[in-house]
Amino acid sequence: MKERLDKFISSQTALSRREAQKAIRDARVTVNGATVRAADVRIDTDSDIVALDGQSLTYRENVYYMMYKPAGVVSATEDRVERTVLDILPPELRRSGLFPAGRLDKDTTGLLILTDDGDYAHRMLSPKKHVWKRYIAVLDKEPDESIIRSFADGITLGDGAVCKSGKAELLGGTRVAVQIREGKYHQVKRMFAALGYHVVSLERVCIGALELDGRLSPGEAREMSRDEAELVFALNDAKA
Ligand code: URA
């Protein structure tokens, strides 16, 4: 694909179009090894090698990042008070248009996807898709086996909203794995509250067949291939 140099740089980095034009004027950009100072030069995104400050930019139409969200940051693109999941991304992963595909509460940890692909996020979050999410919850007391049936039957929340049937698995002690296929506000905490439990900590470990990478520490993120990102759709209702 042919694209203007300034547009290409702003789409592949966190620089705005204006900042990209300035970077070009300031001789920070090379194309195939030669410094280029004209923002309107058209480059071939498949064959030309564009570098900013000596770092080559591999063209990607969209990016998909897996983050191990730590506690204490909010799942938003910006916030006047709180640190966001975008604020903690390492500089080399920053890029215009990124947003979290879905939300975890400030105190919830675990698997969060960041992308700049609106269609992908829309598909993933669409209630019609029934994408299953798996969480590990630590409760304030040992759960009774009856919660398994309650999750399977569909729990009615305090405000009267009825949840679709989910799954609960007792992991021993106060730990429970739960799977749900909706994304109501504070859903897991409210489901447990309806059963008389308080969630002490909550971690999301899977979305569909995509598992949180065990090599990531809280706060870290890495890029995923498009195929890996598609794993979120790889479980259907029957199999999950
Ligand atoms: N359910 C919750 O209660 N909180 C989350 O962050 C995710 C699911």
Side-chain angles (χ1 to χ4, degrees):
M1 186 173 76
K2 294 271 189 197
E3 191 153 77
R4 272 179 62 120
L5 183 57
D6 55 350
K7 188 163 179 232
F8 174 82
I9 290 173
S10 71
S11 73
Q12 301 300 303
T13 68
L15 298 187
S16 66
R17 189 81 169 258
R18 228 168 236 276
E19 289 165 340
Q21 288 165 354
K22 182 164 187 320
I24 295 166
R25 278 201 305 278
D26 292 346
R28 292 168 57 200
V29 175
T30 56
V31 179
N32 301 323
T35 304
V36 171
R37 287 170 183 268
D40 60 355
V41 161
R42 293 180 78 76
I43 55 123
D44 186 329
T45 56
D46 297 320
S47 56
D48 287 328
I49 299 172
V50 178
L52 172 67
D53 298 330
Q55 288 259 262
S56 48
L57 307 173
T58 312
Y59 175 69
R60 286 176 193 81
E61 193 179 344
N62 291 113
V63 291
Y64 308 89
Y65 299 148
M66 169 190 291
M67 174 180 275
Y68 188 161
K69 180 194 169 296
V73 295
V74 295
S75 305
T77 46
E78 51 185 38
D79 193 286
R80 281 211 235 138
V81 184
E82 308 282 0
R83 270 196 323 152
T84 73
V85 288
L86 289 184
D87 292 333
I88 64 168
L89 260 192
E92 66 277 13
L93 295 185
R94 296 205 176 150
R95 173 165 155 132
S96 321
L98 275 179
F99 60 92
R103 282 167 184 275
L104 292 176
D105 297 337
K106 185 177 166 189
D107 60 351
T108 300
T109 59
L111 177 57
L112 186 71
I113 296 175
L114 304 175
T115 184
D116 56 359
D117 183 344
D119 290 339
Y120 168 84
H122 184 75
R123 272 199 301 141
M124 184 181 127
L125 300 172
S126 161
K128 289 194 207 116
K129 285 278 178 194
H130 297 314
V131 170
W132 285 89
K133 275 98 41 181
R134 183 177 166 92
Y135 297 85
I136 306 292
V138 177
L139 306 179
D140 58 339
K141 53 184 183 262
E142 272 196 34
D144 188 89
E145 283 220 349
S146 64
I147 69 161
I148 298 173
R149 175 115 306 267
S150 304
F151 268 80
D153 287 347
I155 293 168
T156 303
L157 302 179
D159 64 359
V162 180
C163 299
K164 290 199 168 68
S165 69
K167 289 158 195 277
E169 193 187 323
L170 306 189
L171 299 179
T174 56
R175 279 161 51 88
V176 186
V178 298
Q179 272 171 256
I180 57 168
R181 54 193 153 128
E182 304 167 277
K184 297 187 201 300
Y185 182 64
H186 294 329
Q187 183 163 341
V188 174
K189 293 173 188 163
R190 289 161 70 210
M191 288 168 105
F192 277 112
L195 301 177
Y197 299 91
H198 174 71
V199 174
V200 176
S201 74
L202 188 63
E203 179 151 294
R204 182 156 69 189
V205 290
C206 288
I207 303 175
L210 180 71
E211 288 178 29
L212 178 62
D213 186 336
R215 286 166 299 191
L216 291 177
S217 300
E220 288 183 342
R222 68 157 173 84
E223 189 168 357
M224 296 188 284
S225 68
R226 175 74 207 213
D227 283 352
E228 190 178 12
E230 284 293 315
L231 285 174
V232 301
F233 305 110
L235 287 184
N236 58 29
D237 285 8
K239 279 200 277 169

